[in-house]
Amino acid sequence: MAEKGREAMKKALLITDVQEDFLGNTLDYIETLCQKYLDEHGHEYDLIILTHWVHEDNRGEDTLLLHHDKAVVVEKTTYSALTPEVRDHLEKARIEEVHLAGVDSETTILATMFALTDSGYKVKILQRLCGSYFTHGSNAMAMKVMGQVLGHENILNVGGARVWM
């Protein structure tokens, strides 16, 4: 609840690249967890952005797996999700804090975390909603780096649960 005379900090949820062309291995669980989180907590955010990494093999195809009524979908071609279009959405909504989740922890999540932090946003990582295409060890290493940079209190252990597939 906001203090009298002070508005609550505006928050965005940014989920990167949960798309079918990145799944099919150890990451299959991430779609279910992220969609469940969106369904249960999407209303808590002032802005939801879902990124779709467009690369040579999926150009012209919609391989994004997540959806939410409030979500803005942004295509990107770089590791960092802080594209000019994403930056514009964040600025227009007057976002101060970004909760970050998605694929891949050791590349996209890490690059986006650095870009957001360098741009002055307060960043929190939704640890159990992040995954790594390469190995679980890569995810753990990325979380360790992000904890060092952001402070371990900003690596939130939320969103995870048993997934039955």
Side-chain angles (χ1 to χ4, degrees):
M1 182 174 213
E3 295 175 22
K4 188 175 181 179
R6 183 175 173 209
E7 289 187 39
M9 185 178 293
K10 295 189 103 183
K11 296 186 303 185
L13 174 62
L14 175 55
I15 303 179
T16 63
D17 309 340
V18 178
Q19 54 197 75
E20 67 184 50
D21 45 322
F22 290 162
L23 303 184
N25 63 7
T26 59
L27 273 181
D28 285 350
Y29 69 93
I30 204 75
E31 173 195 359
T32 303
L33 291 179
C34 287
Q35 188 60 58
K36 182 176 183 195
Y37 187 82
L38 275 168
D39 293 343
E40 294 176 359
H41 300 279
H43 66 279
E44 299 170 15
Y45 292 92
D46 299 291
L47 175 66
I48 298 171
I49 299 174
L50 306 174
T51 66
H52 181 236
W53 191 358
V54 176
H55 51 86
E56 189 174 307
D57 294 335
N58 75 353
R59 194 165 307 282
E61 297 178 29
D62 179 7
T63 61
L64 195 63
L65 295 170
L66 302 178
H67 60 279
H68 190 277
D69 291 343
K70 287 174 48 176
V72 174
V73 175
V74 176
E75 291 186 347
K76 67 182 188 66
T77 58
T78 60
Y79 284 117
S80 174
L82 190 58
T83 65
E85 185 178 353
V86 168
R87 186 182 303 272
D88 188 48
H89 285 295
L90 294 171
E91 288 174 2
K92 282 182 180 174
R94 297 185 177 157
I95 298 299
E96 299 170 80
E97 180 175 303
V98 178
H99 292 189
L100 189 54
V103 176
D104 272 314
S105 298
E106 75 284 358
T107 55
T108 299
I109 301 293
L110 196 59
T112 303
M113 182 270 310
F114 279 118
L116 287 165
T117 301
D118 285 348
S119 294
Y121 293 98
K122 179 169 180 53
V123 179
K124 294 188 178 190
I125 306 298
L126 305 182
Q127 179 178 15
R128 296 184 67 145
L129 298 178
C130 295
S132 175
Y133 182 78
F134 297 106
T135 67
H136 181 69
S138 297
N139 190 53
M141 285 189 312
M143 290 299 154
K144 187 172 184 175
V145 169
M146 289 185 279
Q148 292 289 327
V149 172
L150 298 174
H152 294 285
E153 69 277 6
N154 292 308
I155 309 299
L156 307 179
N157 188 16
V158 299
R162 182 174 292 266
V163 176
W164 301 102
M165 302 185 83

